[in-house]
């Protein structure tokens, strides 16, 4: 019973809903305390439709990729009944003083909800709420509004939450409320001061959108009044570096640098990315990264079948004050030769550094300090240009097949991050398929 009840709750919050009128988002937010550290608004109706779920003749219909799952007809009818009883166009999820996540939503038909849950939850009354519970899992209903949470005393928790919200609710942060009301599958705001006191008054705001085989998250840094903070340490990218990146490089990152860039933090983050595990090389180049006064670009290779070997080849270009580039070339050359590499003169003033089977090309290229495992010639043709034009920073990773990483995956992935001064956009597009993003990933679940 408890397992089935949890399945019903999970589906309520994750994938199911085809329903009608509801309270507005603002009405639900008025019941969320102002000190909530995280608040999200989810349009599960939109989520479900874009995942390929429908309701036909009172029964939930799974998308084609999930049609072979062994979910019995009665369960599918119960799930459809929940969709009829609960409006999931506007579901608000939040963390407040209770310390655990709480979901709140409009209940349009309590009788239909009771019918959908009967046999899987105990019905009782407490504190003026109708309570449906199984173990710590609970759904509460009162005056057309529902809550879902985990607690052994759920009515007491929600009573306290409502009292706090009556004193001061999330509606006081009008800029965040406007953001939470924007179009999209899901929007979330996170109080960043919980991570650092220096970020007091700043909120991370994310808008999630689904479109066919793609998922996109738009992220902004915002104050409670809606003022968007810009990344003033960045400047527009110069995309000349793209001419030097070879076609076989399938991961690349670039940043338009000015004073104030945290290169130490970026270096730590880079070592966590497959294909960018080049910590020793970044240590060598760190003094020059900190002098960058323009575009910095890095490229490498990622092999999904052999992640340990990813990043074995590297391309770096760093734009620096011109009077320092030639000196930097000589210093890097000296660093390599002191570690046993031999240096020889190549074409166009490029120095070739050899150490066993490894070879690097070093030089002043178009005003950049350039170091690469590939020859530094501006004749390469790659497909990365669209990911860097008109941006302040960006990252792209193109993986033709995810099958070595995910059993049953017959698709690849294009992952890219676009950075503008006022917004960061993260996109994951599944390639080799036109099926909905969510349904495709769910089809891989055993």
């Amino acid at each position: 019973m408890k397992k089935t009840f949890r399945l019903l709750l999970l589906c309520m919050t994750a994938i199911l809903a085809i329903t009608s009128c509801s309270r507005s988002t603002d009405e639900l937010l008025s019941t969320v305390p102002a000190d909530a550290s995280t608040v999200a608004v989810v349009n599960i109706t939109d989520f479900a439709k874009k995942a390929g779920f429908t309701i036909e003749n009172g029964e939930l219909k799974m998308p084609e990729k999930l049609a072979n799952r062994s979910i019995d007809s009665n369960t599918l009818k119960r799930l459809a009944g929940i969709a009829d009883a609960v409006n999931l166009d506007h579901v608000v999820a939040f963390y407040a003083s209770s310390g655990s996540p709480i979901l709140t939503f409009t209940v349009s038909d309590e009788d239909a909800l009771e019918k959908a849950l009967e046999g899987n939850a105990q019905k009782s009354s407490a504190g003026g709420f109708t309570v449906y519970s199984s173990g710590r899992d609970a759904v509460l209903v009162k005056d057309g509004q529902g809550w879902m949470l985990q607690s052994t005393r759920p009515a007491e928790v929600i009573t306290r939450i409502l009292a706090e919200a009556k004193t001061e609710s999330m509606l006081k942060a009008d800029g965040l409320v406007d953001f939470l009301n924007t179009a999209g599958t899901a929007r979330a705001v996170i109080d960043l001061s919980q991570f650092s006191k220096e970020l007091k008054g700043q909120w991370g705001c994310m808008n999630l959108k689904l479109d066919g085989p793609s998922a996109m998250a738009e992220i902004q840094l915002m104050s409670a009044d809606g003022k968007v903070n810009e990344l003033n340490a960045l400047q527009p990218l110069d995309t000349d570096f793209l001419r030097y990146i070879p076609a076989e490089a399938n991961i690349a990152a670039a940043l338009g640098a000015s004073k104030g860039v945290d290169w130490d933090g970026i270096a730590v983050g880079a070592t966590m990315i497959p294909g960018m595990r080049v910590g020793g090389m970044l240590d060598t180049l760190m003094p020059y990264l900190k002098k960058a006064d323009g575009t910095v670009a890095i490229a490498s290779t990622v092999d999904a079948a052999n992640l340990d070997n990813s990043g074995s080849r590297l391309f770096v270009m760093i734009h620096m004050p011109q009077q320092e580039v030639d000196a930097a070339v000589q210093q890097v050359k000296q660093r390599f030769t002191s570690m046993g590499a031999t240096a020889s003169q190549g074409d166009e003033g490029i120095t070739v550094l050899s150490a066993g089977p490894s070879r690097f090309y070093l030089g002043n290229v178009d005003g950049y300090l350039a170091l690469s495992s590939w020859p530094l010639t501006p004749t390469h043709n790659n497909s990365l240009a669209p990911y860097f034009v008109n941006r302040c920073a960006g990252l792209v990773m193109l993986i033709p097949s995810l099958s070595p990483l995910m059993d049953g995956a017959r698709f690849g992935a294009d992952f890219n991050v676009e950075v503008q001064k006022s917004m960061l956009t993260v996109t994951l597009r599944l390639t080799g398929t036109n099926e909905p993003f969510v349904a495709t990933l769910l089809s891989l679940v055993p």
Side-chain angles (χ1 to χ4, degrees):
M1 178 188 295
K2 185 174 180 180
K3 182 177 180 180
T4 303
F5 184 63
R6 283 197 167 183
L7 173 63
L8 297 176
L9 298 188
L10 176 63
C11 291
M12 280 175 64
T13 60
I15 54 177
L16 308 175
I18 306 291
T19 187
S20 56
C21 62
S22 72
R23 298 179 181 215
S24 70
T25 299
D26 283 7
E27 288 181 283
L28 294 173
L29 290 174
S30 71
T31 62
V32 176
D35 65 353
S37 60
T38 301
V39 182
V41 176
V42 185
N43 184 341
I44 303 181
T45 301
D46 182 66
F47 187 95
K49 288 179 178 177
K50 290 179 177 177
F53 292 89
T54 59
I55 291 177
E56 299 175 16
N57 301 320
E59 185 172 308
L60 177 74
K61 296 295 182 182
M62 310 284 275
E64 184 178 348
K65 281 184 171 289
L66 303 180
N68 62 343
R69 297 307 167 96
S70 56
I71 301 179
D72 65 86
S73 178
N74 286 335
T75 298
L76 295 175
K77 288 178 180 178
R78 289 181 188 276
L79 295 171
I82 291 173
D84 285 337
V86 176
N87 186 292
L88 300 177
D89 285 349
H90 307 280
V91 174
V92 173
F94 62 96
Y95 276 88
S97 60
S98 63
S100 58
I102 297 173
L103 278 74
T104 185
F105 44 85
T106 301
V107 177
S108 53
D109 189 338
E110 188 172 346
D111 290 338
L113 179 61
E114 180 178 352
K115 183 177 180 181
L117 296 178
E118 67 181 354
N120 295 289
Q122 271 191 325
K123 180 183 178 182
S124 61
S125 296
F129 298 93
T130 301
V131 181
Y132 303 91
S133 61
S134 178
R136 287 176 51 83
D137 299 314
V139 174
L140 287 74
V141 180
K142 183 178 181 180
D143 298 332
Q145 185 171 353
W147 294 263
M148 190 168 72
L149 68 158
Q150 285 193 329
S151 175
T152 55
R153 297 185 176 182
E156 292 181 15
V157 172
I158 299 303
T159 297
R160 185 178 70 253
I161 290 294
L162 291 175
E164 293 173 359
K166 188 174 182 180
T167 300
E168 192 169 45
S169 77
M170 194 68 194
L171 292 181
K172 79 162 191 174
D174 53 351
L176 299 180
V177 171
D178 288 344
F179 177 84
L180 290 169
N181 277 308
T182 56
T185 302
R187 286 81 65 205
V189 297
I190 302 172
D191 182 0
L192 299 179
S193 66
Q194 62 186 304
F195 307 112
S196 171
K197 293 181 180 179
E198 295 179 357
L199 294 173
K200 184 177 181 180
Q202 298 300 312
W203 293 73
C205 303
M206 183 190 75
N207 189 359
L208 173 67
K209 299 178 180 180
L210 298 175
D211 183 15
S214 298
M216 179 175 70
E218 297 173 338
I219 302 169
Q220 294 177 295
L221 188 64
M222 188 181 296
S223 56
D225 62 3
K227 181 181 178 181
V228 176
N229 285 1
E230 294 192 347
L231 299 172
N232 293 320
L234 300 182
Q235 57 180 294
L237 287 173
D238 182 338
T239 56
D240 280 353
F241 70 89
L242 290 167
R243 298 182 299 146
Y244 295 90
I245 297 180
E248 64 188 277
N250 60 347
I251 179 171
L255 182 148
S258 56
K259 291 182 179 179
V261 173
D262 179 12
W263 286 110
D264 292 316
I266 290 174
V268 171
T271 61
M272 300 177 185
I273 302 173
M276 293 291 181
R277 294 169 181 168
V278 287
M281 188 64 67
L282 288 179
D283 287 343
T284 298
L285 296 173
M286 185 59 69
Y288 312 110
L289 289 171
K290 291 181 177 180
K291 292 181 180 180
D293 68 347
T295 295
V296 173
I298 300 177
S300 188
T301 56
V302 174
D303 182 358
N306 187 6
L307 288 180
D308 290 338
N309 192 46
S310 294
S312 59
R313 305 197 73 180
L314 179 67
F315 164 94
V316 181
M317 289 182 73
I318 304 171
H319 194 278
M320 299 168 55
Q322 292 309 290
Q323 66 273 20
E324 297 191 27
V325 177
D326 288 333
V329 169
Q330 293 304 314
Q331 290 165 8
V332 173
K333 175 182 175 180
Q334 194 171 46
R335 176 78 178 266
F336 269 76
T337 55
S338 69
M339 294 186 293
T342 59
S344 61
Q345 197 65 30
D347 296 334
E348 302 295 331
I350 299 298
T351 297
V352 181
L353 300 166
S354 303
S358 299
R359 182 170 291 186
F360 284 90
Y361 301 84
L362 171 69
N364 181 340
V365 176
D366 296 343
Y368 288 77
L369 168 63
L371 179 66
S372 174
S373 302
W374 295 278
L376 288 166
T377 53
T379 58
H380 299 305
N381 182 23
N382 61 68
S383 58
L384 303 179
Y387 299 98
F388 294 99
V389 175
N390 299 322
R391 302 185 181 188
C392 293
L395 182 150
V396 59
M397 186 187 308
L398 308 177
I399 302 178
S401 175
L402 290 173
S403 59
L405 301 176
M406 307 168 71
D407 290 340
R410 297 182 178 179
F411 51 85
D414 289 1
F415 173 79
N416 79 86
V417 179
E418 172 185 350
V419 181
Q420 301 288 3
K421 280 186 176 290
S422 60
M423 182 179 294
L424 183 150
T425 304
V426 181
T427 303
L428 177 59
R429 181 173 67 89
L430 304 181
T431 58
T433 178
N434 292 317
E435 296 295 324
F437 181 87
V438 176
T440 300
L441 293 185
L442 287 176
S443 69
L444 301 179
V445 178

